[in-house]
Amino acid sequence: MATFLSALGRFAFRRRGLVVLLWFLALVGAGFAASTAAAPPADTFSMPGTESQKAFDLLRDRFPAARADGAAARVVVRAPGAEKITDPARRAQVDRLVADLGKSPQVASVADPFKANAVSGDRTTTYAYVTYEAAATELTDAAHQGLDEAMERARDAGLVVEAGGDAVRIEQTMSGTGEKAGILVSAVVLVLTFGSLVAAGMPLLTALIGVGIGISAITALGSTFGLSSTTSTLAMMIGLAVGIDYALFIVSRYRSEITEGRERVEAAGRAVGTAGSAVVFAGLTVIIALAGLAVVDVPMLTKMGLTAAGTVAVAVLVAITFVPALLGFAPVRVLARADRKRHLGKPLSRRQQRRAARREARRRPNLGARWAGFVLRHPVAVLLVGVMSLGAVAVPAASLELGLPSEGSMAPHTTQRKAYDLLSSSFGPGFNGPLTVTVEAKDAKAAAERLRTELERVDGVAAVSPATTNPAGDTAVLTVVPRTGPADTATEELVRTLRGAAGGLESRTGSAEILVAGQTAMFIDFSRTLDDALLPYLGLVVGLAFLLLMLVFRSVLVPLKAALGFLLSVSAALGAVVAVFQWGWLADLFGVDQPGPVMSTLPIFMIGVVFGLAMDYEVFLVSRMREAHVHGARPGEAVVTGFRYGGRVVGAAAIIMTSVFAGFVLEDDDFVKMIGFGLATAVLFDAFVVRMVIVPALFGLLGRAAWWFPAWLDRLLPNIDVEGEKLSARRPVPADPEAEHPQRDHHFVG
């Protein structure tokens, strides 16, 4: 592996013009394909194999005129003060509102609230149900504007008017502020790390090209593979972060090789052969984790995972080809200003090389080496502090409550939340989470009426609507209003009760099949789908990554502690998410309008993404230790060497990735804000506590046992030479700053 990548790096360095041209052509081609592609499809959500999905498909097939996927709005109207909505003057205003709503673009029908008996018991509140000819994502600005203007005219008449439903515009958009903030912080960190604007610009440029190609490809293939506009959100977030990090590691290794005296083309080859090998295998762990989301069997998650994995693959290819090509254009300017003069001009003589080597050996160890030395002197104390601190942050995760976004969890100032509260106070808490019960029978109307009588006697049911039958008469729909709210556990129990009794109800009512769906039922099905997939997903991702890390490090304990460290960091990150987004701690600081349950998809997203990124830092940091170990360093020396060369770079990479993710906290979209915060804290914990504190402490305690690998397994698994042992056959790499430096190849002076 190292030999092949080294040759690739030397080729890209020498033929830099051709390589850069090919990548820019790829970017332009992908951009052109995206600009000429058909519009991406609307967002759809499906859960194959669940009862909710089965009921949805049935309604779409048996009630085609109703458009099961059509948008809807529930416009809630309340009379001001102590007035009644049934007063003649107020009733006339409601009639005008209904007429205005019916004139709005794309409206299919508006139910007259007085004819539909949609008036509260105290006669103060009513609602008009508006259905649309198009799905929510297909509504035009004119349709939204028509709804808003009709409501505003009714408000001007003195009525209290609010609206909920998927037809109501949600003022949450991706402004791009997050990406800009993340890139800005990344640029500052890169300049401080490298001391060179050229070196700082290379990772940013390569990341933008990789993400540009990835996102353009997703857009171009959107209509073909059903990739909606939101599919690329995760791809952009992950692609930007790993693109910067992967280029950062290769540029850093090139600078290290140059300062050790190698010729420029050889330095580029060795950088790609060693750091590039780590990039390839780190990228593979991220790709495995993201592609593994397909195990969940939720098409939306599968598409997001696969597109993000594809973007990471592009980032890896860009790093191992485009980066060495850029280095070819600025082989010396990529160095810090203080080092440039020493690497221009003629090579040093052998005597001058030996003197330079002795001067280098006398240099004071950097911060990474000093930190590693401190940890190795106090491994037990450092290990306890690291584990206990993450354990303390993880405590709130025990109170994790999962849910999907609903209007009841939206900010109090939104019209959706106001409509939700008006309906709850006037019609009961269960009115906002009605259950849809479908009935299939030869005489569906008669069967549904018998079922209605049965359902009205069930504990927890507040009301059951009359049945609506399809034209063929073989399917009917009933609406069941629970006594409790959609987020109440009693409502969840009611769904389970009804589904459990479906068999008996079918026999007593003469129904062929009874299905229970609706918002609460969908939440239950979705949560069960995620719960059922969690263990297989963890097994697949951790198992494949464990095997991959065994191949890389030729060790059993190193992959094991990497996986255990990941569990600590992701648990602590979930604890932080619960504290902020569920409990409301520091809610104002992070712009959380309404604390509530954590998004159901967040844990599995975090597990997939954080596992891949955690293995990135493990590979980048420990591969240097492995390299020193292979070249004869003692266990402690190998740890110090890894931190001397990799500690600062891993720290910079973690700050960059944290800033990229944290930038998404500035967005208005609640899910993007939550996942950005969760990933940022997870990276912070994993890089600076697990990899910088716990990992060296464990290496210090394990000693040579850390690299134990059964001989039979060593013979069985292929040796992929990630550490570049074959590249170093001619001259060993020094294991420790205190060790004597062998003769160097070439050193340049000005």
Side-chain angles (χ1 to χ4, degrees):
M1 173 65 75
T3 305
F4 169 76
L5 290 178
S6 178
L8 180 63
R10 290 194 300 271
F11 171 82
F13 188 92
R14 292 192 182 104
R15 305 298 299 273
R16 46 191 172 272
L18 174 63
V19 173
V20 169
L21 176 63
L22 289 176
W23 276 113
F24 274 108
L25 287 176
L27 178 62
V28 172
F32 177 77
S35 64
T36 57
D43 286 306
T44 58
F45 183 81
S46 61
M47 295 179 293
T50 62
E51 185 165 333
S52 295
Q53 186 64 40
K54 188 176 181 180
F56 179 84
D57 293 340
L58 177 68
L59 292 175
R60 183 171 52 187
D61 180 54
R62 302 294 175 84
F63 293 85
R67 277 216 64 176
D69 59 343
R74 195 156 50 180
V75 180
V76 186
V77 187
R78 176 172 286 180
E83 297 183 43
K84 304 296 183 182
I85 201 68
T86 53
D87 292 345
R90 296 303 180 189
R91 181 165 182 161
Q93 292 170 347
V94 173
D95 290 338
R96 283 196 293 273
L97 170 61
V98 170
D100 289 342
L101 291 171
K103 297 174 184 177
S104 298
Q106 295 183 282
V107 169
S109 65
V110 183
D112 187 319
F114 299 107
K115 294 180 180 178
N117 196 28
V119 180
S120 62
D122 59 4
R123 294 182 297 163
T124 62
T125 309
T126 187
Y127 64 90
Y129 195 76
V130 186
T131 58
Y132 287 80
E133 299 171 345
T137 52
E138 298 171 352
L139 292 182
T140 62
D141 290 338
H144 289 298
Q145 186 176 353
L147 175 62
D148 294 340
E149 290 177 351
M151 292 170 57
E152 198 58 41
R153 284 191 291 269
R155 289 176 182 141
D156 292 341
L159 297 172
V160 177
V161 185
E162 305 295 345
D166 58 357
V168 182
R169 190 179 353 225
I170 298 178
E171 300 299 333
Q172 291 184 341
T173 58
M174 290 291 289
S175 63
T177 305
E179 298 98 307
K180 295 172 185 174
I183 292 173
L184 178 62
V185 174
S186 301
V188 173
V189 173
L190 287 169
V191 171
L192 294 176
T193 302
F194 286 137
S196 165
L197 289 175
V198 173
M202 283 185 185
L204 291 174
L205 178 60
T206 55
L208 291 175
I209 288 177
V211 169
I213 293 173
I215 300 302
S216 297
I218 293 171
T219 304
L221 298 173
S223 59
T224 304
F225 294 102
L227 307 177
S228 68
S229 57
T230 58
T231 303
S232 60
T233 301
L234 184 64
M236 181 180 297
M237 193 182 295
I238 301 299
L240 190 61
V242 300
I244 294 174
D245 279 4
Y246 293 166
L248 167 64
F249 280 101
I250 292 178
V251 172
S252 177
R253 185 60 186 254
Y254 171 82
R255 284 161 47 110
S256 175
E257 296 293 337
I258 284 288
T259 57
E260 289 185 6
R262 290 187 173 84
E263 294 179 345
R264 299 166 189 175
V265 65
E266 179 65 18
R270 289 182 63 86
V272 177
T274 52
S277 295
V279 164
V280 169
F281 283 93
L284 281 175
T285 60
V286 181
I287 290 170
I288 288 171
L290 292 171
L293 289 171
V295 174
V296 182
D297 198 25
V298 174
M300 180 191 71
L301 297 184
T302 300
K303 292 174 183 177
M304 292 185 74
L306 291 177
T307 52
T311 305
V312 172
V314 173
V316 171
L317 293 175
V318 169
I320 61 177
T321 56
F322 189 69
V323 171
L326 289 182
L327 290 172
F329 285 106
V332 176
R333 291 182 62 82
V334 76
L335 302 176
R337 185 179 296 274
D339 296 329
R340 290 175 192 168
K341 289 185 178 180
R342 292 190 293 122
H343 300 282
L344 294 170
K346 298 179 182 179
L348 292 173
S349 66
R350 292 185 180 276
R351 171 186 270 180
Q352 290 172 321
Q353 289 180 37
R354 288 194 293 269
R355 289 178 180 175
R358 286 194 291 271
R359 285 196 303 270
E360 181 72 16
R362 288 194 295 269
R363 287 179 60 182
R364 187 168 180 258
N366 61 16
L367 179 61
R370 294 199 300 274
W371 169 252
F374 171 80
V375 174
L376 292 174
R377 290 192 297 272
H378 312 283
V380 176
V382 170
L383 180 63
L384 288 176
V385 169
V387 173
M388 291 176 65
S389 61
L390 288 183
V393 179
V395 168
S399 303
L400 177 66
E401 295 179 10
L402 298 177
L404 289 177
S406 67
E407 293 176 347
S409 60
M410 296 182 72
H413 67 271
T414 61
T415 186
Q416 292 94 332
R417 175 61 183 275
K418 291 176 181 177
Y420 182 97
D421 292 340
L422 287 172
L423 290 172
S424 294
S425 62
S426 298
F427 294 91
F431 196 80
N432 282 295
L435 304 177
T436 302
V437 179
T438 65
V439 182
E440 283 189 277
K442 291 182 179 180
D443 186 356
K445 184 174 182 179
E449 288 304 320
R450 290 192 292 270
L451 178 61
R452 181 187 180 192
T453 303
E454 294 273 355
L455 292 176
E456 287 176 335
R457 294 198 291 263
V458 176
D459 290 338
V461 173
V464 183
S465 70
T468 300
T469 310
N470 69 331
D474 58 0
T475 306
V477 180
L478 298 164
T479 299
V480 177
V481 179
R483 294 188 182 278
T484 50
D488 199 301
T489 54
T491 307
E492 185 175 334
E493 288 299 322
L494 175 62
V495 172
R496 292 196 174 98
T497 299
L498 294 178
R499 285 180 169 176
L505 292 171
E506 287 167 359
S507 61
R508 291 196 298 272
T509 60
S511 305
E513 186 175 38
I514 296 174
L515 299 173
V516 180
Q519 185 187 65
T520 304
M522 183 187 70
F523 287 178
I524 294 171
D525 289 340
F526 189 66
S527 297
R528 187 177 62 217
T529 299
L530 293 178
D531 290 344
D532 292 344
L534 188 58
L535 287 180
Y537 176 67
L538 273 175
L540 173 68
V541 171
V542 175
L544 290 177
F546 189 91
L547 179 61
L548 202 61
L549 292 178
M550 278 204 304
L551 284 172
V552 173
F553 296 127
R554 318 302 290 181
S555 168
V556 174
L557 294 180
V558 170
L560 179 61
K561 67 179 181 55
L564 294 177
F566 150 74
L567 292 176
L568 270 176
S569 57
V570 79
S571 299
L574 281 174
V577 169
V578 169
V580 173
F581 289 89
Q582 184 176 308
W583 293 355
W585 294 4
L586 303 177
D588 293 337
L589 177 63
F590 293 102
V592 180
D593 295 319
Q594 181 66 30
V598 174
M599 204 82 66
S600 296
T601 53
L602 184 68
I604 203 158
F605 260 130
M606 285 185 60
I607 288 172
V609 175
V610 175
F611 184 82
L613 299 180
M615 296 307 103
D616 273 6
Y617 298 124
E618 183 76 9
V619 170
F620 292 137
L621 191 60
V622 180
S623 61
R624 270 290 194 167
M625 300 181 193
R626 167 72 182 170
E627 187 175 343
H629 170 72
V630 167
H631 295 135
R634 295 189 299 272
E637 292 175 342
V639 174
V640 172
T641 299
F643 273 81
R644 180 194 180 200
Y645 290 104
R648 183 182 182 186
V649 180
V650 168
I655 292 174
I656 289 170
M657 196 169 287
T658 300
S659 65
V660 170
F661 291 146
F664 287 89
V665 178
L666 303 176
E667 298 290 351
D668 293 330
D669 187 277
D670 291 335
F671 178 64
V672 174
K673 183 192 296 287
M674 191 180 294
I675 196 171
F677 175 84
L679 293 178
T681 54
V683 168
L684 205 61
F685 293 150
D686 193 85
F688 291 102
V689 182
V690 174
R691 309 303 155 191
M692 295 288 191
V693 175
I694 295 176
V695 165
L698 285 174
F699 268 110
L701 292 174
L702 292 173
R704 294 189 181 278
W707 303 108
W708 172 77
F709 201 52
W712 65 268
L713 191 56
D714 189 37
R715 292 190 300 270
L716 182 64
L717 297 179
N719 190 343
I720 50 181
D721 187 29
V722 172
E723 65 278 354
E725 184 178 3
K726 295 178 182 178
L727 299 178
S728 303
R730 292 176 300 173
R731 189 185 68 86
V733 175
D736 183 84
E738 305 300 328
E740 182 179 353
H741 284 255
Q743 179 176 313
R744 299 172 180 239
D745 292 339
H746 297 285
H747 205 290
F748 298 91
V749 294

